[in-house]
PDB file of all heavy atoms in Angstrom:
ATOM      1  N   SER A 117      13.064  -4.614  -9.160  1.00 86.00           N
ATOM      2  CA  SER A 117      13.581  -5.321  -8.018  1.00 86.00           C
ATOM      3  C   SER A 117      12.783  -6.463  -7.617  1.00 86.00           C
ATOM      4  O   SER A 117      13.184  -7.553  -7.542  1.00 86.00           O
ATOM      5  CB  SER A 117      13.733  -4.334  -6.887  1.00 86.00           C
ATOM      6  OG  SER A 117      14.166  -5.001  -5.664  1.00 86.00           O
ATOM      7  N   ASN A 118      11.426  -6.186  -7.267  1.00 89.00           N
ATOM      8  CA  ASN A 118      10.567  -7.225  -6.836  1.00 89.00           C
ATOM      9  C   ASN A 118       9.101  -6.757  -7.047  1.00 89.00           C
ATOM     10  O   ASN A 118       8.781  -5.613  -7.320  1.00 89.00           O
ATOM     11  CB  ASN A 118      10.767  -7.547  -5.414  1.00 89.00           C
ATOM     12  CG  ASN A 118      10.538  -6.384  -4.492  1.00 89.00           C
ATOM     13  OD1 ASN A 118       9.451  -6.023  -4.115  1.00 89.00           O
ATOM     14  ND2 ASN A 118      11.721  -5.857  -3.949  1.00 89.00           N
ATOM     15  N   ARG A 120       5.053  -7.396  -5.526  1.00 94.00           N
ATOM     16  CA  ARG A 120       4.274  -7.750  -4.395  1.00 94.00           C
ATOM     17  C   ARG A 120       2.847  -7.769  -4.797  1.00 94.00           C
ATOM     18  O   ARG A 120       2.339  -6.927  -5.546  1.00 94.00           O
ATOM     19  CB  ARG A 120       4.574  -6.773  -3.358  1.00 94.00           C
ATOM     20  CG  ARG A 120       5.925  -6.589  -2.898  1.00 94.00           C
ATOM     21  CD  ARG A 120       6.220  -5.156  -2.405  1.00 94.00           C
ATOM     22  NE  ARG A 120       7.625  -5.003  -2.168  1.00 94.00           N
ATOM     23  CZ  ARG A 120       8.198  -4.958  -0.926  1.00 94.00           C
ATOM     24  NH1 ARG A 120       7.479  -5.072   0.082  1.00 94.00           N
ATOM     25  NH2 ARG A 120       9.610  -4.810  -0.841  1.00 94.00           N
ATOM     26  N   TYR A 122      -0.900  -7.432  -2.691  1.00 96.00           N
ATOM     27  CA  TYR A 122      -1.535  -7.138  -1.326  1.00 96.00           C
ATOM     28  C   TYR A 122      -2.975  -7.465  -1.524  1.00 96.00           C
ATOM     29  O   TYR A 122      -3.568  -7.299  -2.593  1.00 96.00           O
ATOM     30  CB  TYR A 122      -1.363  -5.704  -1.109  1.00 96.00           C
ATOM     31  CG  TYR A 122       0.005  -5.262  -0.641  1.00 96.00           C
ATOM     32  CD1 TYR A 122       0.998  -4.884  -1.510  1.00 96.00           C
ATOM     33  CD2 TYR A 122       0.308  -5.221   0.781  1.00 96.00           C
ATOM     34  CE1 TYR A 122       2.254  -4.541  -1.077  1.00 96.00           C
ATOM     35  CE2 TYR A 122       1.549  -4.810   1.171  1.00 96.00           C
ATOM     36  CZ  TYR A 122       2.542  -4.435   0.188  1.00 96.00           C
ATOM     37  OH  TYR A 122       3.778  -4.035   0.763  1.00 96.00           O
ATOM     38  N   GLN A 124      -6.527  -6.027   0.167  1.00 96.00           N
ATOM     39  CA  GLN A 124      -7.128  -4.955   1.017  1.00 96.00           C
ATOM     40  C   GLN A 124      -8.665  -5.175   1.180  1.00 96.00           C
ATOM     41  O   GLN A 124      -9.387  -4.993   0.306  1.00 96.00           O
ATOM     42  CB  GLN A 124      -6.821  -3.617   0.370  1.00 96.00           C
ATOM     43  CG  GLN A 124      -7.305  -2.400   1.301  1.00 96.00           C
ATOM     44  CD  GLN A 124      -6.968  -1.038   0.735  1.00 96.00           C
ATOM     45  OE1 GLN A 124      -6.668  -0.854  -0.468  1.00 96.00           O
ATOM     46  NE2 GLN A 124      -6.972  -0.111   1.678  1.00 96.00           N
ATOM     47  N   GLY A 127     -12.287  -0.959   4.038  1.00 91.00           N
ATOM     48  CA  GLY A 127     -12.134  -0.291   5.283  1.00 91.00           C
ATOM     49  C   GLY A 127     -10.928  -0.600   6.014  1.00 91.00           C
ATOM     50  O   GLY A 127     -10.762  -0.115   7.227  1.00 91.00           O
ATOM     51  N   GLY A 129      -6.376  -1.603   5.961  1.00 95.00           N
ATOM     52  CA  GLY A 129      -5.185  -1.411   5.289  1.00 95.00           C
ATOM     53  C   GLY A 129      -4.774  -2.579   4.464  1.00 95.00           C
ATOM     54  O   GLY A 129      -5.196  -3.689   4.765  1.00 95.00           O
ATOM     55  N   PRO A 130      -3.942  -2.492   3.506  1.00 95.00           N
ATOM     56  CA  PRO A 130      -3.462  -3.557   2.659  1.00 95.00           C
ATOM     57  C   PRO A 130      -2.673  -4.590   3.495  1.00 95.00           C
ATOM     58  O   PRO A 130      -1.923  -4.134   4.465  1.00 95.00           O
ATOM     59  CB  PRO A 130      -2.539  -2.918   1.638  1.00 95.00           C
ATOM     60  CG  PRO A 130      -3.008  -1.508   1.547  1.00 95.00           C
ATOM     61  CD  PRO A 130      -3.384  -1.134   2.953  1.00 95.00           C
ATOM     62  N   ILE A 135       5.721 -11.779  -2.134  1.00 91.00           N
ATOM     63  CA  ILE A 135       6.796 -10.911  -2.604  1.00 91.00           C
ATOM     64  C   ILE A 135       7.648 -11.809  -3.506  1.00 91.00           C
ATOM     65  O   ILE A 135       8.024 -12.856  -3.047  1.00 91.00           O
ATOM     66  CB  ILE A 135       7.556 -10.268  -1.529  1.00 91.00           C
ATOM     67  CG1 ILE A 135       6.734  -9.409  -0.604  1.00 91.00           C
ATOM     68  CG2 ILE A 135       8.685  -9.398  -2.151  1.00 91.00           C
ATOM     69  CD1 ILE A 135       7.513  -8.909   0.564  1.00 91.00           C
ATOM     70  N   THR A 137      11.004 -11.921  -6.340  1.00 89.00           N
ATOM     71  CA  THR A 137      12.142 -11.288  -6.965  1.00 89.00           C
ATOM     72  C   THR A 137      12.256 -11.678  -8.423  1.00 89.00           C
ATOM     73  O   THR A 137      11.430 -12.561  -8.826  1.00 89.00           O
ATOM     74  CB  THR A 137      13.412 -11.544  -6.112  1.00 89.00           C
ATOM     75  OG1 THR A 137      13.616 -12.975  -6.158  1.00 89.00           O
ATOM     76  CG2 THR A 137      13.335 -11.103  -4.713  1.00 89.00           C
ATOM     77  N   SER A 179       8.493  -2.841  -7.194  1.00 87.00           N
ATOM     78  CA  SER A 179       9.606  -2.085  -6.517  1.00 87.00           C
ATOM     79  C   SER A 179      10.675  -1.933  -7.483  1.00 87.00           C
ATOM     80  O   SER A 179      11.100  -2.970  -8.227  1.00 87.00           O
ATOM     81  CB  SER A 179      10.020  -2.906  -5.228  1.00 87.00           C
ATOM     82  OG  SER A 179      11.118  -2.234  -4.783  1.00 87.00           O
ATOM     83  N   GLY A 184      16.431   5.496  -1.883  1.00 62.00           N
ATOM     84  CA  GLY A 184      15.143   5.782  -1.212  1.00 62.00           C
ATOM     85  C   GLY A 184      14.112   4.650  -1.567  1.00 62.00           C
ATOM     86  O   GLY A 184      14.456   3.555  -1.885  1.00 62.00           O
ATOM     87  N   THR A 185      12.942   4.960  -1.226  1.00 64.00           N
ATOM     88  CA  THR A 185      11.889   3.999  -1.519  1.00 64.00           C
ATOM     89  C   THR A 185      11.259   4.125  -2.843  1.00 64.00           C
ATOM     90  O   THR A 185      11.033   5.295  -3.278  1.00 64.00           O
ATOM     91  CB  THR A 185      10.806   3.995  -0.393  1.00 64.00           C
ATOM     92  OG1 THR A 185       9.914   2.909  -0.680  1.00 64.00           O
ATOM     93  CG2 THR A 185      10.050   5.267  -0.415  1.00 64.00           C
ATOM     94  N   LEU A 187       8.193   2.128  -4.413  1.00 84.00           N
ATOM     95  CA  LEU A 187       7.201   1.181  -4.611  1.00 84.00           C
ATOM     96  C   LEU A 187       6.111   1.798  -5.530  1.00 84.00           C
ATOM     97  O   LEU A 187       5.601   2.913  -5.175  1.00 84.00           O
ATOM     98  CB  LEU A 187       6.517   0.788  -3.326  1.00 84.00           C
ATOM     99  CG  LEU A 187       7.320  -0.079  -2.331  1.00 84.00           C
ATOM    100  CD1 LEU A 187       6.568  -0.305  -1.063  1.00 84.00           C
ATOM    101  CD2 LEU A 187       7.832  -1.249  -3.037  1.00 84.00           C
ATOM    102  N   PHE A 189       2.422   1.452  -7.064  1.00 91.00           N
ATOM    103  CA  PHE A 189       1.167   0.802  -6.686  1.00 91.00           C
ATOM    104  C   PHE A 189       0.238   0.723  -7.931  1.00 91.00           C
ATOM    105  O   PHE A 189       0.116   1.885  -8.658  1.00 91.00           O
ATOM    106  CB  PHE A 189       0.440   1.446  -5.607  1.00 91.00           C
ATOM    107  CG  PHE A 189       1.113   1.209  -4.262  1.00 91.00           C
ATOM    108  CD1 PHE A 189       2.205   1.867  -3.788  1.00 91.00           C
ATOM    109  CD2 PHE A 189       0.551   0.275  -3.314  1.00 91.00           C
ATOM    110  CE1 PHE A 189       2.812   1.577  -2.564  1.00 91.00           C
ATOM    111  CE2 PHE A 189       1.145  -0.010  -2.114  1.00 91.00           C
ATOM    112  CZ  PHE A 189       2.217   0.732  -1.814  1.00 91.00           C
ATOM    113  N   LYS A 191      -3.730   0.216  -9.345  1.00 95.00           N
ATOM    114  CA  LYS A 191      -5.009   0.690  -8.739  1.00 95.00           C
ATOM    115  C   LYS A 191      -5.901  -0.392  -8.159  1.00 95.00           C
ATOM    116  O   LYS A 191      -6.840  -0.127  -7.522  1.00 95.00           O
ATOM    117  CB  LYS A 191      -5.844   1.410  -9.878  1.00 95.00           C
ATOM    118  CG  LYS A 191      -5.120   2.721 -10.441  1.00 95.00           C
ATOM    119  CD  LYS A 191      -5.902   3.334 -11.487  1.00 95.00           C
ATOM    120  CE  LYS A 191      -5.157   4.573 -11.986  1.00 95.00           C
ATOM    121  NZ  LYS A 191      -5.913   5.259 -13.122  1.00 95.00           N
TER     122      LYS A 191
ATOM    123  N   GLN B 177      -4.921   7.393  -0.197  1.00 96.00           N
ATOM    124  CA  GLN B 177      -5.560   6.569  -1.075  1.00 96.00           C
ATOM    125  C   GLN B 177      -6.873   7.144  -1.470  1.00 96.00           C
ATOM    126  O   GLN B 177      -7.659   7.482  -0.694  1.00 96.00           O
ATOM    127  CB  GLN B 177      -5.854   5.131  -0.469  1.00 96.00           C
ATOM    128  CG  GLN B 177      -6.417   4.145  -1.555  1.00 96.00           C
ATOM    129  CD  GLN B 177      -6.562   2.684  -0.971  1.00 96.00           C
ATOM    130  OE1 GLN B 177      -6.962   2.622   0.199  1.00 96.00           O
ATOM    131  NE2 GLN B 177      -6.290   1.734  -1.746  1.00 96.00           N
ATOM    132  N   GLY B 180     -10.380   5.220  -7.206  1.00 82.00           N
ATOM    133  CA  GLY B 180      -9.869   5.032  -8.574  1.00 82.00           C
ATOM    134  C   GLY B 180      -8.366   5.326  -8.762  1.00 82.00           C
ATOM    135  O   GLY B 180      -7.901   5.257  -9.822  1.00 82.00           O
ATOM    136  N   LEU B 185       2.540   7.794  -2.201  1.00 92.00           N
ATOM    137  CA  LEU B 185       3.466   8.027  -1.113  1.00 92.00           C
ATOM    138  C   LEU B 185       3.511   9.605  -0.823  1.00 92.00           C
ATOM    139  O   LEU B 185       3.780  10.290  -1.762  1.00 92.00           O
ATOM    140  CB  LEU B 185       4.774   7.494  -1.378  1.00 92.00           C
ATOM    141  CG  LEU B 185       5.890   7.601  -0.263  1.00 92.00           C
ATOM    142  CD1 LEU B 185       5.437   6.809   0.931  1.00 92.00           C
ATOM    143  CD2 LEU B 185       7.276   7.105  -0.843  1.00 92.00           C
ATOM    144  N   TYR B 188       8.190   9.643   3.629  1.00 93.00           N
ATOM    145  CA  TYR B 188       8.600   8.396   4.253  1.00 93.00           C
ATOM    146  C   TYR B 188       9.862   8.859   5.195  1.00 93.00           C
ATOM    147  O   TYR B 188      10.489   9.899   5.018  1.00 93.00           O
ATOM    148  CB  TYR B 188       9.062   7.482   3.303  1.00 93.00           C
ATOM    149  CG  TYR B 188      10.186   7.639   2.418  1.00 93.00           C
ATOM    150  CD1 TYR B 188      11.499   7.144   2.688  1.00 93.00           C
ATOM    151  CD2 TYR B 188      10.063   8.427   1.280  1.00 93.00           C
ATOM    152  CE1 TYR B 188      12.531   7.471   1.934  1.00 93.00           C
ATOM    153  CE2 TYR B 188      11.112   8.611   0.409  1.00 93.00           C
ATOM    154  CZ  TYR B 188      12.320   8.209   0.749  1.00 93.00           C
ATOM    155  OH  TYR B 188      13.403   8.477  -0.123  1.00 93.00           O
ATOM    156  N   PHE B 230      -2.989   6.182   5.057  1.00 97.00           N
ATOM    157  CA  PHE B 230      -2.450   4.989   5.623  1.00 97.00           C
ATOM    158  C   PHE B 230      -1.010   5.244   6.118  1.00 97.00           C
ATOM    159  O   PHE B 230      -0.201   5.732   5.254  1.00 97.00           O
ATOM    160  CB  PHE B 230      -2.492   3.874   4.640  1.00 97.00           C
ATOM    161  CG  PHE B 230      -3.866   3.326   4.346  1.00 97.00           C
ATOM    162  CD1 PHE B 230      -4.498   3.624   3.251  1.00 97.00           C
ATOM    163  CD2 PHE B 230      -4.453   2.503   5.281  1.00 97.00           C
ATOM    164  CE1 PHE B 230      -5.912   3.229   3.071  1.00 97.00           C
ATOM    165  CE2 PHE B 230      -5.645   1.956   5.171  1.00 97.00           C
ATOM    166  CZ  PHE B 230      -6.464   2.248   3.952  1.00 97.00           C
ATOM    167  N   ILE B 237      14.101   0.236   4.055  1.00 74.00           N
ATOM    168  CA  ILE B 237      13.503   0.875   2.851  1.00 74.00           C
ATOM    169  C   ILE B 237      13.011  -0.174   1.951  1.00 74.00           C
ATOM    170  O   ILE B 237      13.797  -1.029   1.480  1.00 74.00           O
ATOM    171  CB  ILE B 237      14.456   1.883   2.302  1.00 74.00           C
ATOM    172  CG1 ILE B 237      14.512   3.115   3.048  1.00 74.00           C
ATOM    173  CG2 ILE B 237      14.076   2.133   0.830  1.00 74.00           C
ATOM    174  CD1 ILE B 237      13.262   3.946   3.066  1.00 74.00           C
ATOM    175  N   ALA B 238      11.702  -0.103   1.539  1.00 62.00           N
ATOM    176  CA  ALA B 238      11.147  -1.205   0.784  1.00 62.00           C
ATOM    177  C   ALA B 238      11.345  -0.911  -0.776  1.00 62.00           C
ATOM    178  O   ALA B 238      10.368  -0.777  -1.548  1.00 62.00           O
ATOM    179  CB  ALA B 238       9.678  -1.313   1.060  1.00 62.00           C
ATOM    180  N   GLY B 239      12.584  -0.672  -1.166  1.00 60.00           N
ATOM    181  CA  GLY B 239      12.813  -0.384  -2.540  1.00 60.00           C
ATOM    182  C   GLY B 239      13.547  -1.667  -3.146  1.00 60.00           C
ATOM    183  O   GLY B 239      12.924  -2.466  -3.739  1.00 60.00           O
ATOM    184  N   GLY B 240      14.765  -1.762  -2.918  1.00 60.00           N
ATOM    185  CA  GLY B 240      15.558  -2.914  -3.495  1.00 60.00           C
ATOM    186  C   GLY B 240      15.517  -4.061  -2.627  1.00 60.00           C
ATOM    187  O   GLY B 240      16.356  -5.008  -2.852  1.00 60.00           O
ATOM    188  N   VAL B 241      14.797  -4.068  -1.509  1.00 70.00           N
ATOM    189  CA  VAL B 241      14.797  -5.156  -0.601  1.00 70.00           C
ATOM    190  C   VAL B 241      13.403  -5.691  -0.594  1.00 70.00           C
ATOM    191  O   VAL B 241      12.422  -5.111  -1.132  1.00 70.00           O
ATOM    192  CB  VAL B 241      15.213  -4.727   0.948  1.00 70.00           C
ATOM    193  CG1 VAL B 241      16.612  -4.192   0.965  1.00 70.00           C
ATOM    194  CG2 VAL B 241      14.270  -3.630   1.420  1.00 70.00           C
ATOM    195  N   THR B 242      13.275  -6.853   0.063  1.00 72.00           N
ATOM    196  CA  THR B 242      12.043  -7.573   0.091  1.00 72.00           C
ATOM    197  C   THR B 242      11.347  -7.571   1.417  1.00 72.00           C
ATOM    198  O   THR B 242      10.570  -8.536   1.699  1.00 72.00           O
ATOM    199  CB  THR B 242      12.204  -9.060  -0.419  1.00 72.00           C
ATOM    200  OG1 THR B 242      13.163  -9.693   0.415  1.00 72.00           O
ATOM    201  CG2 THR B 242      12.699  -9.073  -1.885  1.00 72.00           C
ATOM    202  N   ASP B 243      11.628  -6.554   2.181  1.00 81.00           N
ATOM    203  CA  ASP B 243      10.973  -6.508   3.455  1.00 81.00           C
ATOM    204  C   ASP B 243       9.501  -6.262   3.298  1.00 81.00           C
ATOM    205  O   ASP B 243       9.076  -5.398   2.562  1.00 81.00           O
ATOM    206  CB  ASP B 243      11.539  -5.355   4.369  1.00 81.00           C
ATOM    207  CG  ASP B 243      13.049  -5.703   4.705  1.00 81.00           C
ATOM    208  OD1 ASP B 243      13.377  -6.864   4.768  1.00 81.00           O
ATOM    209  OD2 ASP B 243      13.680  -4.729   5.126  1.00 81.00           O
ATOM    210  N   GLN B 245       5.993  -4.597   4.039  1.00 90.00           N
ATOM    211  CA  GLN B 245       5.428  -3.460   4.640  1.00 90.00           C
ATOM    212  C   GLN B 245       4.150  -3.793   5.361  1.00 90.00           C
ATOM    213  O   GLN B 245       3.303  -4.499   4.826  1.00 90.00           O
ATOM    214  CB  GLN B 245       5.059  -2.398   3.488  1.00 90.00           C
ATOM    215  CG  GLN B 245       6.061  -1.415   3.135  1.00 90.00           C
ATOM    216  CD  GLN B 245       5.516  -0.327   2.339  1.00 90.00           C
ATOM    217  OE1 GLN B 245       4.558  -0.445   1.561  1.00 90.00           O
ATOM    218  NE2 GLN B 245       6.212   0.851   2.423  1.00 90.00           N
ATOM    219  N   GLY B 248      -1.254   0.299   8.727  1.00 97.00           N
ATOM    220  CA  GLY B 248      -2.264   0.550   9.689  1.00 97.00           C
ATOM    221  C   GLY B 248      -3.618   0.475   9.149  1.00 97.00           C
ATOM    222  O   GLY B 248      -3.805   0.342   7.958  1.00 97.00           O
ATOM    223  N   ARG B 252      -9.736   8.111   7.943  1.00 96.00           N
ATOM    224  CA  ARG B 252     -10.641   8.706   6.853  1.00 96.00           C
ATOM    225  C   ARG B 252     -10.895  10.184   7.122  1.00 96.00           C
ATOM    226  O   ARG B 252     -11.512  10.505   8.127  1.00 96.00           O
ATOM    227  CB  ARG B 252     -11.875   7.908   6.898  1.00 96.00           C
ATOM    228  CG  ARG B 252     -11.795   6.567   6.113  1.00 96.00           C
ATOM    229  CD  ARG B 252     -12.513   5.416   6.859  1.00 96.00           C
ATOM    230  NE  ARG B 252     -12.045   4.131   6.173  1.00 96.00           N
ATOM    231  CZ  ARG B 252     -11.014   3.472   6.600  1.00 96.00           C
ATOM    232  NH1 ARG B 252     -10.232   3.911   7.644  1.00 96.00           N
ATOM    233  NH2 ARG B 252     -10.745   2.325   6.024  1.00 96.00           N
TER     234      ARG B 252
END
Side-chain angles (χ1 to χ4, degrees):
Chain A
S117 172
N118 59 77
R120 306 152 185 249
Y122 286 87
Q124 184 176 20
I135 301 175
T137 61
S179 175
T185 183
L187 292 179
F189 287 76
K191 295 179 181 180
Chain B
Q177 187 175 39
L185 182 65
Y188 67 97
F230 289 100
I237 284 291
V241 297
T242 56
D243 292 338
Q245 266 193 334
R252 282 141 191 85

